[in-house]
Amino acid sequence: MAQWPLHHRVFLGLLVAGLLLQGLGLRVPAAGGWRAEVKAMGAERSLHPASWPSFLGLESLGASQEPLQIPRNGSAPLLVAVEVFVSNVFNVDILRYTVSSVLLLRMSWLDPRLAWNETVHPRRAFTLPWDSIWTPGLTIQEALWVDWRDQSPRARVAPDGNVELYLALTTETNCDFELLRFPRDLSDCSLSFYALSNSVMELEFQAQAVNEVVSVKREYVLQDLKTQIPPQQLVPCFRVTLSLQNTALKAVLSLLVPGEALLLADVCGGLLPLSAAERLGYKMTLLLGYLVFHSSLVQALPSSSSCNPLLIYYFTVLLLLLILSTMETVLLAGLWAHDRQGARGSPSPAPRGEEHRDHGDSGPPQDQEGRGGEGKGTGRSRAEVADSIFFRVYVVGVVCSQALFAGIWMWVVCKSDPAPGKAAPHGGQPRL
Ligand SMILES: *[C@@H]1O[C@H](CO)[C@@H](O)[C@H](O)[C@H]1NC(C)=O
Ligand SMILES: *[C@@H]1O[C@H](CO)[C@@H](O)[C@H](O)[C@H]1NC(C)=O
């Protein structure tokens, strides 16, 4: 540590900074999207050039080189390196199509105006309030809200003028989940960061993302992280894409297993003889139970204009199958009862045809009501034949529908319709 700032230099620095302040006037607060955001949250900002160390070569700054303006890099844009550390994805709301995440941004760029001669002032680095120098203002396109953790972060300046600024933020962003395979879905969610106060001629991002999520006890796990510089933008932009995989077992256990069990129970109900009085009660109970399950289930699933969860269709088909099989039971039980009435009227069962089972006692049907199994004494009635045919068709139909859903699940790829906004380039007036 050497004997640095000399008194007269401090005085000179303050003087120049004061002059600069006056020269900048009111343009300062408008610079940068997130500055505006921070301001909107009620934190009053004021400039702190007084906190600049006096050795910062401020004396050499002319009016054309205002420190709050973006550093120039000849005719090329200034390169700002951004590293995005994703430290948490703490909430994924598929009903609202939102993702909440915690990010840390590390931005660094070269501002030669802040460089100092290290041999004269041997100091490794110092920090400055973010609003006393130029910093890129960032706005997240998909964000519903952004909470910048530190209201007045400090930038670290190295002797060569390399500025490093860390920004921690919590944000809730909109994401178009692809929910066709809902309990096992994998979606890409992007966060597009725009520096709206600069043009692509002035500023260029070089982005990189690091997955720093440590917790795995989550429904949605961050599988992959990509960064991208979208081409042909009017304002500098970089995009971070989070690949979120749903790993929850809960939905499988609470939705698929009961659905399959119910269908199986319904198929088994078809094995009860038509004459058994319990069969109708059994099917009705299943249907009623399922109706309750169905409405709460459909409430729990998200929906959209395209690529709805396959489960919605699956459960609707399940409902139709249950209704079909219950209706069949009602109709054929009615027909069976009607046949029995007719059989009581005419004692000979022969004209009904289809005597597959000629064995046993083919006496006249003297038992009318109640206990099952007595119909077979007359051979099989029309209703029973129809029932056995229906049962086979129903089993085939159930198996086919399950196979169809399994096939769609495995092979069909659903791409949502392109967003209307994707066609138009983002940004304000071109400043090219
Ligand atoms: C200036 O632009 C050149 C060419 O794009 C680049 O290599 C260099 O890193 C830039 N310098 C700064 C300070 O951004
Ligand atoms: C730093 O200051 C020393 C002493 O005044 C001088 O010799 C040297 O050239 C300076 N270095 C730079 C990079 O200006």
Side-chain angles (χ1 to χ4, degrees):
M1 287 300 224
Q3 203 61 21
W4 55 284
L6 299 169
H7 287 302
H8 73 276
R9 300 202 66 158
V10 172
F11 176 70
L12 190 59
L14 282 174
L15 188 67
V16 175
L19 288 175
L20 279 171
L21 238 177
Q22 284 179 5
L24 284 170
L26 288 172
R27 277 179 291 158
V28 174
W34 71 275
R35 288 182 193 173
E37 231 168 324
V38 171
K39 276 185 114 44
M41 289 188 298
E44 268 310 309
R45 301 269 137 242
S46 59
L47 296 173
H48 305 280
S51 57
W52 289 9
S54 56
F55 52 81
L56 266 187
L58 271 181
E59 301 87 342
S60 63
L61 291 176
S64 62
Q65 287 241 324
E66 293 155 333
L68 284 160
Q69 300 302 308
I70 182 167
R72 301 238 175 83
N73 182 21
S75 56
L78 175 79
L79 282 182
V80 174
V82 186
E83 268 179 290
V84 183
F85 302 94
V86 181
S87 55
N88 203 351
V89 177
F90 62 92
N91 189 23
V92 176
D93 190 338
I94 51 171
L95 289 180
R96 291 174 58 227
Y97 287 92
T98 58
V99 180
S100 307
S101 48
V102 179
L103 311 175
L104 179 69
L105 303 183
R106 177 186 175 275
M107 295 192 281
S108 63
W109 64 93
L110 200 66
D111 193 342
R113 297 167 301 183
L114 299 178
W116 71 89
N117 189 335
E118 224 182 340
T119 44
V120 181
H121 306 286
R123 184 150 188 211
R124 272 214 213 106
F126 63 94
T127 60
L128 284 179
W130 61 276
D131 51 2
S132 63
I133 54 168
W134 175 86
T135 53
L138 291 177
T139 305
I140 304 176
Q141 189 186 21
E142 293 87 357
L144 305 182
W145 51 261
V146 183
D147 179 17
W148 301 90
R149 284 293 176 79
D150 194 351
Q151 298 285 298
S152 50
R154 293 180 74 88
R156 187 182 169 84
V157 185
D160 59 351
N162 193 55
V163 187
E164 205 175 75
L165 179 65
Y166 283 89
L167 297 173
L169 62 131
T170 305
T171 179
E172 185 177 37
T173 49
N174 183 250
C175 176
D176 292 337
F177 298 113
E178 295 293 357
L179 290 172
L180 181 72
R181 293 178 179 77
F182 159 59
R184 285 268 159 268
D185 51 300
L186 174 67
S187 308
D188 283 346
C189 300
S190 347
L191 282 83
S192 310
F193 292 82
Y194 284 90
L196 292 177
S197 49
N198 296 106
S199 79
V200 283
M201 303 303 282
E202 295 169 337
L203 177 60
E204 186 180 323
F205 285 114
Q206 272 180 335
Q208 198 186 342
V210 184
N211 184 348
E212 289 215 320
V213 179
V214 285
S215 107
V216 291
K217 294 291 181 190
R218 292 257 179 273
E219 273 193 10
Y220 280 84
V221 170
L222 183 59
Q223 288 287 26
D224 194 16
L225 204 52
K226 284 192 287 282
T227 49
Q228 184 200 359
I229 309 289
Q232 303 201 331
Q233 299 287 327
L234 298 175
V235 283
C237 168
F238 66 93
R239 184 171 293 156
V240 180
T241 306
L242 320 173
S243 293
L244 293 172
Q245 166 101 56
N246 190 350
T247 58
L249 207 56
K250 192 183 86 182
V252 176
L253 294 181
S254 66
L255 301 177
L256 272 181
V257 172
E260 288 293 325
L262 209 67
L263 196 58
L264 193 65
D266 182 63
V267 169
C268 291
L271 294 172
L272 286 174
L274 200 54
S275 48
E278 302 83 34
R279 176 160 157 187
L280 190 55
Y282 178 82
K283 295 241 168 183
M284 287 305 289
T285 312
L286 278 186
L287 182 61
L288 284 179
Y290 181 69
L291 276 175
V292 174
F293 177 60
H294 186 82
S295 62
S296 67
L297 186 101
V298 171
Q299 300 282 318
L301 289 175
S303 71
S304 70
S305 57
S306 57
C307 291
N308 282 303
L310 195 59
L311 278 186
I312 291 183
Y313 304 104
Y314 173 81
F315 286 119
T316 306
V317 167
L318 204 64
L319 179 66
L320 293 180
L321 283 174
L322 287 182
I323 288 178
L324 184 69
S325 102
T326 309
M327 269 169 50
E328 181 264 352
T329 300
V330 171
L331 290 179
L332 288 188
L335 182 63
W336 183 79
H338 184 262
D339 278 359
R340 298 247 328 192
Q341 297 263 333
R344 216 186 329 169
S346 63
S348 158
R352 288 199 200 103
E354 290 137 354
E355 289 97 350
H356 303 282
R357 311 161 36 119
D358 292 335
H359 79 290
D361 45 349
S362 55
Q366 62 273 50
D367 316 319
Q368 276 88 25
E369 321 300 340
R371 309 184 295 279
E374 274 146 38
K376 72 180 158 193
T378 69
R380 300 177 76 192
S381 69
R382 283 183 303 170
E384 283 169 315
V385 171
D387 186 48
S388 80
I389 292 172
F390 175 83
F391 179 70
R392 278 169 216 166
V393 172
Y394 184 67
V395 169
V396 171
V398 165
V399 170
C400 283
S401 69
Q402 302 300 297
L404 183 69
F405 277 113
I408 294 176
W409 184 280
M410 306 268 269
W411 290 298
V412 169
V413 177
C414 183
K415 268 269 156 247
S416 294
D417 306 333
K422 282 278 160 60
H426 181 88
Q429 290 297 311
R431 284 193 271 162
L432 302 176

